[in-house]
Amino acid sequence: MSLRTSTFSYALLGLIEQQPLSGYDLRKLFSATPLATMSDSPGAIYPALKRLERKGLISGRIEGAGLRPRRVFRLTPRGLAELKKWLLQPVTRDDLVHRTDELILRFGFTSRVLGKEGALGFLHGLERELGFYIPELKRFLGAQPRMPASGRLAVELGIQSYALLRRWTKRAATAVKQES
Amino acid sequence: MSLRTSTFSYALLGLIEQQPLSGYDLRKLFSATPLATMSDSPGAIYPALKRLERKGLISGRIEGAGLRPRRVFRLTPRGLAELKKWLLQPVTRDDLVHRTDELILRFGFTSRVLGKEGALGFLHGLERELGFYIPELKRFLGAQPRMPASGRLAVELGIQSYALLRRWTKRAATAVKQES
DNA sequence: TATATCATGTAATGCGTTACATGATTTA
DNA sequence: TAAATCATGTAACGCATTACATGATATA
């Protein structure tokens, strides 16, 4: 039994929470929409679903009597708890540096699973970490006297990307507040 | 013998091209600078170096007579050729969606390895792909009549990130042209 | 002399990728 | 009836993560 559930598995969990889905449904979601940059390969999805079921986080039942069988998965209570736990984790520096995509994925589920305050709490935590990290990057860049132009450009892009994300958190918070 | 060299291994290749480096040097680079979001774990670096050496892309020699031995690696001609091949690959849609970080890493090496025109060619190819992709994302967003607010916000962030990257390619090209 | 740093690695594990495999049903 | 799509999976492989292990040298 693995300790850490992968980002990919959390994506499955979050999507299944929204509605019962089969492995094939998930493949289509991942190949058709630009939302998910996840793998749409059966070699990724079916084993992941099996692991989640073994852990008791989802449960599948066969639908479509007699025809081509569709195994449709639903979240179990434990699965919902696990999803909530993931969403409630504080945003860390490490998330910012190594898992930006996972952060956006998390945000995509917060509102529905945690409610408005949950989504706002997440955005606030994200903005807070960005508030620490961006000045550090700027300081780093300033402290480098002779850095190759390409390296400088790469760091500048990083800073601007994080600044964009920070502005986005504010807009997103406004949008969340105005939700019905 | 694996077919595709991983991003991580290319990062090692590109860094070693700039100067001879040991495994420990690479660990420090990856843990200290915000440039590389690569893993600084020995379990990633040392086996990767071994694979690259087995493939004949780098070669290590022990330095520091008698003291703690440092295995310092240099690029072989075949390693340089492999690096160039990687850098010269055209930028694809798939790179944009799944490997943005790898693109920036590639840019970091182009100027030194391929020269000014090489770097400009890369930036041009990147901008071109962005020119195709960004309007598609916008169209996707417009075509979704009823999309959850969080999904809409996520796609908007994606569009803005790509737009930022596109502006950056132009600035980067200007900077590259002005290099001595 | 104890701790931190330098410096190298291995072993177990998990998981994603690629490729392959199967068979039913729908569309051209 | 041929091809595309629906729908599920497995097997081999590679590689990154985590944790462990070792020993020398420099610093407090």
Side-chain angles (χ1 to χ4, degrees):
Chain A
M1 189 86 75
S2 76
L3 299 162
R4 181 178 163 74
T5 305
S6 69
T7 303
F8 183 65
S9 292
Y10 279 121
L12 301 182
L13 233 42
L15 288 167
I16 290 171
E17 188 277 330
Q18 297 178 19
Q19 57 185 304
L21 291 170
S22 69
Y24 193 74
D25 292 335
L26 288 159
R27 284 192 70 189
K28 276 187 298 179
L29 277 175
F30 289 155
S31 60
T33 72
L35 291 166
T37 54
M38 301 288 153
S39 164
D40 65 340
S41 109
I45 289 174
Y46 291 105
L49 288 170
K50 195 184 277 180
R51 285 194 297 275
L52 289 173
E53 187 164 42
R54 209 180 47 212
K55 284 189 203 169
L57 305 182
I58 61 177
S59 79
R61 80 164 70 146
I62 288 162
E63 288 187 4
L67 312 171
R68 13 163 194 144
R70 269 168 55 84
R71 269 173 62 76
V72 177
F73 292 92
R74 286 171 173 74
L75 270 205
T76 63
R78 283 189 51 200
L80 181 59
E82 178 71 21
L83 183 59
K84 280 185 183 167
K85 210 179 96 189
W86 176 57
L87 294 176
L88 283 169
Q89 279 179 347
V91 176
T92 65
R93 164 68 56 92
D94 212 55
D95 290 330
L96 234 44
V97 176
H98 294 114
R99 286 181 294 275
T100 317
D101 288 351
E102 185 176 319
L103 286 173
I104 308 308
L105 185 71
R106 278 171 63 181
F107 170 73
F109 298 138
T110 47
S111 187
R112 193 186 150 101
V113 176
L114 302 178
K116 234 183 225 196
E117 322 94 70
L120 290 174
F122 174 83
L123 290 171
H124 186 257
L126 175 53
E127 200 205 326
R128 185 184 144 85
E129 271 306 303
L130 286 165
F132 295 138
Y133 190 40
I134 293 171
E136 272 183 50
L137 283 177
K138 284 183 180 166
R139 243 176 282 130
F140 171 86
L141 195 62
Q144 300 297 321
R146 289 194 68 70
M147 196 180 183
S150 57
R152 178 168 295 274
L153 282 162
V155 178
E156 280 169 2
L157 175 61
I159 291 173
Q160 285 163 22
S161 298
Y162 285 121
L164 174 68
L165 181 59
R166 197 182 185 189
R167 291 196 296 276
W168 176 86
T169 59
K170 289 171 189 166
R171 258 182 302 112
T174 307
V176 168
K177 276 176 202 156
Q178 286 170 354
E179 259 174 52
S180 56
Chain B
M1 189 86 75
S2 76
L3 300 161
R4 179 177 165 76
T5 305
S6 69
T7 304
F8 183 65
S9 293
Y10 280 122
L12 301 182
L13 235 42
L15 289 168
I16 290 171
E17 188 277 329
Q18 297 178 19
Q19 57 185 306
L21 291 169
S22 71
Y24 193 73
D25 292 334
L26 289 159
R27 284 192 69 188
K28 277 187 299 180
L29 276 174
F30 290 154
S31 61
T33 72
L35 291 165
T37 53
M38 301 288 154
S39 165
D40 65 341
S41 109
I45 290 176
Y46 291 107
L49 288 170
K50 195 184 275 180
R51 285 193 299 274
L52 289 172
E53 187 164 41
R54 208 179 48 213
K55 283 189 202 171
L57 305 182
I58 61 176
S59 79
R61 79 165 70 147
I62 288 160
E63 287 186 4
L67 312 170
R68 0 150 210 154
R70 267 168 56 85
R71 270 173 63 75
V72 178
F73 291 92
R74 286 172 173 74
L75 270 205
T76 63
R78 282 190 51 200
L80 181 59
E82 180 69 21
L83 183 59
K84 280 185 183 168
K85 209 179 97 188
W86 177 58
L87 295 176
L88 283 169
Q89 278 178 350
V91 176
T92 65
R93 164 69 56 91
D94 211 54
D95 290 329
L96 234 43
V97 176
H98 294 114
R99 286 180 295 276
T100 318
D101 288 351
E102 184 175 320
L103 286 173
I104 309 307
L105 185 72
R106 277 170 65 181
F107 170 72
F109 298 138
T110 46
S111 186
R112 192 186 151 99
V113 177
L114 302 179
K116 232 182 226 196
E117 323 95 68
L120 290 173
F122 174 84
L123 290 171
H124 186 259
L126 176 53
E127 200 204 326
R128 185 184 143 84
E129 271 306 304
L130 286 164
F132 295 137
Y133 190 41
I134 294 171
E136 271 182 50
L137 283 177
K138 285 183 180 165
R139 242 175 284 129
F140 172 85
L141 195 62
Q144 301 297 322
R146 290 195 67 72
M147 197 181 183
S150 56
R152 178 167 296 273
L153 282 162
V155 178
E156 280 169 3
L157 176 61
I159 291 172
Q160 286 163 21
S161 298
Y162 285 121
L164 174 68
L165 181 59
R166 196 183 185 187
R167 291 195 298 276
W168 176 86
T169 58
K170 289 170 189 165
R171 260 183 299 113
T174 308
V176 168
K177 277 177 201 154
Q178 285 170 353
E179 259 176 53
S180 54

